[in-house]
Amino acid sequence: SDTARDILKRFRSVHGGDSQVDLQPVDIWHALDEALELVDFQFRKRYIHVLKSKREFVLVQGNRHRLVQVFVNIFMNSMY
């Protein structure tokens, strides 16, 4: 089974070599909200509504920009 480190190493080799990723504490809900703002027009155009519920503050170790990009990709792929 792959560890997170092995997965990250494979990801780096596929996406831009072995460059260092700037990992910092990221509020996952803030990144999710940012991604939702970016796809809002596409969602509204397709009559897709997102319901948000009360949530706890959750920090993850990562790169905020890349995390937002992952969420946007998931949302865009889910429309097709």
Side-chain angles (χ1 to χ4, degrees), residues 1 3-4 10 12-13 21 31 35 38-39 41 44-46 51 55 63-65 74 76:
S1 77
T3 65
R10 284 196 338 239
R12 285 181 183 159
S13 69
V21 177
L38 292 171
V39 298
F41 176 76
R44 284 188 289 120
K45 192 165 100 174
R46 289 173 174 79
L51 299 175
R55 54 197 186 207
N63 179 288
R64 184 180 62 80
H65 298 291
I74 290 170
M76 296 301 289

Side-chain angles (χ1 to χ4, degrees), residues 48-72:
I48 298 171
H49 302 281
V50 176
L51 299 175
K52 298 179 191 177
S53 61
K54 187 175 179 180
R55 54 197 186 207
E56 295 181 25
F57 184 74
V58 177
L59 281 179
V60 296
Q61 198 70 8
N63 179 288
R64 184 180 62 80
H65 298 291
R66 289 187 180 185
L67 186 57
V68 169
Q69 183 179 357
V70 167
F71 285 137
V72 167

